[in-house]
Amino acid sequence: MELPKFLLGDNTDFPDAIFVVHTEFPRFVINLANDEVEWLEEFDQHDQKELESETENCIKEASEFYDREVARYKND
């Protein structure tokens, strides 16, 4: 199965949360309401360098994905 790079997540136990799931390396879930990130990967020292360089970009892309999705809902 092919997954999209980002997925929106929702849970009624967290009514104020805005979850975006990043399905590619490095996999993570970010709550855009407070910018808390939960990593779904374990990292070694080699991965740590790549992670540091990609983290800011991935979080920016997650925010842009959310904004795009919300705009599409408003247009429907």
Side-chain angles (χ1 to χ4, degrees), residues 22-64:
H22 184 256
T23 63
E24 298 176 358
F25 184 85
R27 295 178 304 149
F28 63 86
V29 177
I30 183 170
N31 180 352
L32 294 177
N34 60 14
D35 292 333
E36 187 175 341
V37 175
E38 180 70 30
W39 298 102
L40 305 175
E41 308 279 0
E42 295 204 16
F43 303 105
D44 61 21
Q45 287 183 340
H46 176 263
D47 293 335
Q48 190 69 29
K49 289 180 181 182
E50 182 179 349
L51 178 66
E52 289 173 1
S53 66
E54 289 297 317
T55 298
E56 185 176 335
N57 188 45
C58 288
I59 291 172
K60 179 182 172 198
E61 287 179 2
S63 296
E64 290 170 352

Side-chain angles (χ1 to χ4, degrees), residues 9-19 29 31-34 36:
D10 188 26
N11 188 305
T12 56
D13 292 334
F14 300 91
D16 297 327
I18 302 168
F19 295 113
V29 177
N31 180 352
L32 294 177
N34 60 14
E36 187 175 341

Side-chain angles (χ1 to χ4, degrees), residues 6-9 17-20 32 61-76:
F6 292 104
L7 299 168
L8 288 178
I18 302 168
F19 295 113
V20 175
L32 294 177
E61 287 179 2
S63 296
E64 290 170 352
F65 164 77
Y66 175 77
D67 292 341
R68 185 192 79 192
E69 291 297 300
V70 169
R72 287 179 177 176
Y73 282 118
K74 289 179 181 177
N75 291 334
D76 285 343

